Amino acid sequence: MEGVQRPGRLRAYARFLGLAFAVNVKSVLEYRVNFLVQFFGMMLNNAAFAAFWAVIIGRAGAVGGYGFTDVMFVWGLVSTSFGLAHVLAGNVRMLGKIVMEGGLDVYLLQPKDVMVNLLASRTVVSAWGDFVYGFIVLALLPGTDLARLALFCALALPGALIFAATFAAAESLAFFMGNAQAIASALSEFMLSFSLYPEGVFGKGYRWIMYSLVPSAFVAFVPLRIYRAMDWRFVPLLWAIALVYAALSYALFQAGLKRYESGNRVDTRI
Amino acid sequence: MAAIVADRLSKAFTLRIRPKGRFSTLRGLFRPERRIVQAVKGASFSVNEGEVVAFLGPNGAGKSTTIKMLTGILQPSGGTASVLGLDPSRDRKRLAWSIGSVFGQKSQLWFHLPPADSFRLLGAIYELEPALLASRSGALIERFNIGELMDVPVRKLSLGQRIRCEIAASLLHAPKLLFLDEPTIGLDVVARKEIRALIEELNKSDGVTVFLTSHDMGDIEKICKRAIIIHHGEVVVDESMKALKHRALARKYLGVRYAKPVDMDLPGLLPIKRTELSARYEVDTNEHSLAAVVKALASRGELEDITIEDEPLENVIATIYASRSGAEASLFGEREARHD
């Protein structure tokens, strides 16, 4: 027994998260056709929006200070960040529902951090399409080289963390409100919509929100500025901001966990 | 040593209720009314290491809430709990290394994947070295006879097969204490028997302490040595199965069938059911001597058949459950104990 009971170390967590990811992938691949339809369906969906922007900018010129390349970069980056958040932390937008229906019990019975365990227990199939779409867009953009690819990745990772942290925080309101689905889904809609339009089209009041509560700025506008200038100096700052969002989200979840009321629904792990 | 000590453990939930009358929905939106529901009201009991204890109670009595407080899922509103020397509300993660749990209604296996994958993942969750995981899984697979099921997706397993895999999975980290919440729910007679035998063996050969809730009297009579009954959030009975069964023994059911119609009313004892030739009596042996009743009935006429049955344990428990309050159930307990 004693040999088994080692406190959670990073290596043990890495092994667990790696295996959880492998199991999630295997779980979605159980239904291959569904996976392929959702994967390619999402890329097609994203491509349709790209075509729409191409037409608008083709006719009206730059919109809100964004040219076509800028728009495509933001679409690609947001798509990859958003996709990565849902590929790795697939339960992020199920969290509120799981809390509401008493589904945390299984995670609370295991000797791992509840939030990490819960988020990593699922992958969203369509998000794989989003994730890959960003790289395809990047590959098609003029001037893409290895350095730009590296910067793209360095910007996408904190973006994914900010997406996951914000969505998880909104979903964690379920601990306090019982049902927070309306707020959570509104917030994720806002965050995505704000991210996908040029910063210049928004007024000052909106921008305050986008640099705080609905942090679209840190997943789209700021990364675009860094990318345009190819300036790595601000990348660590973006990482630091992402970590602050993650810490706040984690703290909110932990505070909520004390109020968790469980439930008696019949459950299976999908 | 005590594996579980619950001291005046209580849990209150806040319910939002919709006001009645005009514009109720609108009023409820702005000024919701709240009601406090006491699910568990100061439950105190203890379980020793190596014991197999039945934790009983009707639906809504507070069984699951108590188990959830003991495993660290829920934070108690009052009182304290100590499980394997740890406070579940503060040391949940540490406690999780040494307890196992099977909730018949909640699965810890991945629905779309074969149990083998869940076992591997649980091995990583409990940080078992691959070699140790392999030897533990091997032993459990053999003991639970689930070798053929390990590569079948869980969704394709029968309920009995799934529960066998669930219990095996909950034992991978060799817990000292096992919480089983209705493990045999929905199982057929054969599967139920198998699960009971496995639980019994775990306790006997590995010394695992078992805390079991079940609505199945068979589970309880076969496996448990002691029963704690919770009702309306209070512990109303805490005694050995032997004592509980003894309560049942105080009441006998006596059936007679005569060759010809006779007067079947005895002084102070009327049949609970009768036909022209037969009758059934409920005899409280504290009030009537069974031998005297049989003798009196035999003297009434020629007997064709006579049967004597013990009161099923289920009836004793049903009477406790049927009481309207915790105090009433306790009173019943005391009254029964006095009869003993």
Side-chain angles (χ1 to χ4, degrees), chain A residues 1 26 102 108 267 269, chain B residues 68 92 105-106 111 117 174:
Chain A
M1 276 301 290
K26 208 175 159 189
L108 279 159
D267 268 332
R269 297 184 85 163
Chain B
K68 284 172 184 171
R92 179 193 67 79
Q105 301 183 29
K106 293 196 184 200
F111 189 62
D117 288 318

Side-chain angles (χ1 to χ4, degrees), chain A residues 18-32:
Chain A
L19 201 56
F21 182 67
V23 167
N24 291 337
V25 172
K26 208 175 159 189
S27 189
V28 296
L29 290 180
E30 273 285 303
Y31 304 95
R32 281 182 184 78

Side-chain angles (χ1 to χ4, degrees), chain B residues 139-278:
Chain B
L140 288 166
I141 288 167
E142 197 180 326
R143 180 186 264 189
F144 283 74
N145 192 22
I146 49 174
E148 286 177 2
L149 313 177
M150 290 305 281
D151 295 317
V152 181
V154 171
R155 65 173 189 278
K156 292 185 180 162
L157 297 179
S158 73
L159 187 60
Q161 292 171 330
R162 202 201 85 201
I163 294 287
R164 283 211 318 263
C165 294
E166 291 274 358
I167 300 183
S170 74
L171 295 169
L172 276 173
H173 59 294
K176 295 177 195 157
L177 169 61
L178 196 56
F179 288 96
L180 300 172
D181 194 358
E182 302 194 32
T184 59
I185 195 166
L187 296 188
D188 65 38
V189 187
V190 179
R192 238 181 294 170
K193 226 172 147 186
E194 281 173 4
I195 299 293
R196 280 179 204 153
L198 286 166
I199 297 171
E200 241 182 327
E201 192 200 319
L202 272 176
N203 173 256
K204 286 203 177 113
S205 59
D206 302 5
V208 176
T209 311
V210 179
F211 194 72
L212 168 99
T213 79
S214 179
H215 286 298
D216 186 309
M217 289 305 133
D219 288 352
I220 296 151
E221 282 191 85
K222 295 265 163 35
I223 320 174
C224 303
K225 302 280 179 298
R226 186 152 71 91
I228 297 171
I229 302 183
I230 186 167
H231 195 17
H232 300 292
E234 294 171 55
V235 172
V236 290
V237 171
D238 181 354
E239 59 188 31
S240 69
M241 284 308 295
K242 226 170 146 184
L244 202 63
K245 278 182 189 164
H246 196 66
R247 290 181 181 206
L249 292 178
R251 196 167 288 137
K252 304 279 182 189
Y253 289 94
L254 188 78
V256 284
R257 200 172 71 240
Y258 291 96
K260 288 178 192 153
V262 296
D263 173 17
M264 291 184 280
D265 291 347
L266 297 179
L269 188 66
L270 297 177
I272 51 170
K273 221 166 125 184
R274 72 167 97 199
T275 65
E276 196 187 356
L277 295 176
S278 66

Side-chain angles (χ1 to χ4, degrees), chain A residues 30-44:
Chain A
E30 273 285 303
Y31 304 95
R32 281 182 184 78
V33 175
N34 179 54
F35 177 82
L36 293 173
V37 167
Q38 292 211 43
F39 179 83
F40 288 109
M42 191 49 77
M43 287 209 281
L44 202 67

Side-chain angles (χ1 to χ4, degrees), chain A residues 1-9 11-13 15-16 19-21 23-24 26-27 30-31 101-114 117 121 177 250 257-270, chain B residues 11-14 16 64 68 71-75 92-94 96-99 101 103-114 117-118 120-130 132-133 136 153 155 162 173-176:
Chain A
M1 276 301 290
E2 287 310 309
V4 182
Q5 298 184 14
R6 272 181 256 101
R9 296 155 306 158
R11 205 169 63 94
Y13 260 95
R15 182 183 156 217
F16 156 59
L19 201 56
F21 182 67
V23 167
N24 291 337
K26 208 175 159 189
S27 189
E30 273 285 303
Y31 304 95
E101 293 176 348
L104 281 189
D105 295 11
V106 172
Y107 305 99
L108 279 159
L109 289 166
Q110 295 174 343
K112 285 281 171 280
D113 185 87
V114 180
N117 194 349
S121 280
M177 300 167 56
Y250 184 77
L257 199 55
K258 291 197 170 67
R259 302 167 58 106
Y260 176 59
E261 293 198 341
S262 187
N264 285 323
R265 213 175 78 103
V266 176
D267 268 332
T268 46
R269 297 184 85 163
I270 313 283
Chain B
K11 179 73 189 174
F13 292 106
T14 310
R16 274 175 76 159
S64 294
K68 284 172 184 171
T71 47
I73 291 174
L74 288 177
Q75 300 280 324
R92 179 193 67 79
K93 265 194 264 180
R94 269 178 73 196
W97 294 106
S98 340
I99 60 169
S101 46
F103 291 89
Q105 301 183 29
K106 293 196 184 200
S107 179
Q108 57 177 334
L109 303 172
W110 267 253
F111 189 62
H112 294 299
L113 296 178
D117 288 318
S118 291
R120 275 197 303 140
L121 195 56
L122 287 167
I125 288 172
Y126 288 100
E127 299 178 20
L128 303 177
E129 290 301 328
L132 184 63
L133 175 65
R136 288 254 176 90
R155 65 173 189 278
R162 202 201 85 201
H173 59 294
K176 295 177 195 157

